[in-house]
Amino acid sequence: MAAFLLLVAAGLLWLGVDALLLSRHGSPPNPIEKDEMMFGKAHRRPVPDYVRAFAERRYPFATSGSMAFYGWLFVGLGVALGAFAVGLWD
């Protein structure tokens, strides 16, 4: 069970560090860069309005501030779960 908890803790730490790295980037300055971030560089251009609206509804909190919050949240949860798994916190 401890190995599974350590694996989950490692996953949370990885997600947290990844979110913190993403939070360093500002929002894309123009619609083309925003479309490339949401749909990849090889997406069909122009992106239909209903597809763009769907993606923006699904990810309304993807800002640099929220990424920093989620990053620290995942790092904290990963450290706490890892400490619990190795027995430092009973």
Side-chain angles (χ1 to χ4, degrees):
M1 185 66 173
F4 176 72
L5 290 177
L6 285 174
L7 185 63
V8 172
L12 286 172
L13 286 171
W14 177 74
L15 287 173
V17 169
D18 193 37
L20 288 173
L21 290 175
L22 284 173
S23 72
R24 294 177 54 198
H25 299 288
S27 297
N30 62 41
I32 293 173
E33 290 181 10
K34 189 173 183 180
D35 288 347
E36 286 178 355
M37 286 181 68
M38 285 193 294
F39 305 108
K41 291 194 181 279
H43 68 279
R44 193 181 89 205
R45 292 183 192 169
V47 175
D49 289 334
Y50 69 92
V51 173
R52 183 179 292 112
F54 176 76
E56 288 174 350
R57 273 195 319 271
R58 298 284 284 177
Y59 305 105
F61 302 113
T63 63
S64 61
S66 65
M67 284 293 111
F69 171 76
Y70 291 129
W72 287 115
L73 178 69
F74 289 154
V75 166
L77 288 173
V79 168
L81 190 60
F84 180 73
V86 296
L88 295 177
W89 183 29
D90 285 327

